Amino acid sequence: MSSETRIPTGIAGLDRVIEGGVRDKSTMLVVGSSGTGKSTFAMQYLNYGLEHGENALYISMEEPPEQILREAKMLGFNLDSYYEKELFFFHSKGKDFVKLVDEQLPALVEANKNYAVKTRVVIDPLTPLIWAIQDKQEQREVITKLFYTLKQLGPVLITTEEHASPGETIGEDVLIPIYMSDGAVHLTYRPIGGAFNRALEIVKMRATRHGEEVYPYIFVRGVGVVVRTTPLVSAEDVRKYDDVFDKAIRTAADLGANERILERLVYVKENWSYPFSPKETLQIFFESQGLNDTITKEELEKRREEAASKAAASIAPESAETVQPDAGMMQEEEPSQEDEPLIEIDNLSELEEMIQ
């Protein structure tokens, strides 16, 4: 599990599968075609922050503030009481947005440095800016500056409309914003149960262990978007595969894995979030680290003896004279029960059976 403090999005169900929320000073892009509810996501995100003592900045490139407030009220979000107190609007269009990015927003960030209150930011939608700047390099530069500036205020949610061509998974027009964002959520219409329903997929979420399923979602007046998810890891399953990992770690040690590999295995154990056994993943990892060769018990014993000899040599006092051991002492002693390896294998198939 990540130890980093997360900021809840307020979008019911979504936080379950992104480790409790978004990271501070990050950007999350909500991509979808018309009618998928991008603006509802934005209003719900903003409303949650306002209800929990944050300030909010709504940057609109299409609708004026009055219309946004009316639509929010229809969804059950009464933002009027926050207007021009904790909630502020920027309304800009097309090329004028470049001036906003270059001048107004940096000035706002500078003025905000003296305040301890977190500001939650929404850009709804980014689409007019994408259409206004045809040159891809210029578009990338403006978006990079925009995201960098706004992240200094707090967590940012950006919506953008997608126009995918037949056969495209994600529309080409939104590839640059997706690449530049820290996280991206894709909203689509999907055939589910004989009807077309809305569904959500997490495309990316940097430094976050996130769900990888397709999640249906609905709109509930008074609540907003409800994403139908289950927690990434249930409480009873969080330590379900500890024994599998512990055996794999002991086996890796017997196979001569160094400390860094063992530390990585421990890290995987602590962060395993899938509902299935990790044995296949561990097998592939062992192969990638060269731990899949056939190793006999004699070879394992030889490795342990060599390691013990090196350890003894490292602590033995330096002396001009060396005491020669008695010939009888050179003979190998039968290993006691305590000296037996934690796990013994003759070949890779035994390793697989052990992990199972």
Side-chain angles (χ1 to χ4, degrees), residues 21 36-37 101 111 115 130 223 251 269 331:
T36 50
V101 174
Y115 297 92
I130 296 173
V223 177
T251 299
K269 170 189 171 182
Q331 296 178 357

Side-chain angles (χ1 to χ4, degrees), residues 275-300:
F276 50 83
S277 172
K279 65 180 182 179
E280 182 181 7
T281 300
L282 290 168
Q283 179 64 49
I284 294 170
F285 179 74
F286 271 46
E287 292 177 2
S288 70
Q289 300 300 318
L291 299 175
N292 64 320
D293 295 332
T294 301
I295 299 179
T296 65
K297 295 178 182 178
E298 290 76 14
E299 288 173 317
L300 285 173

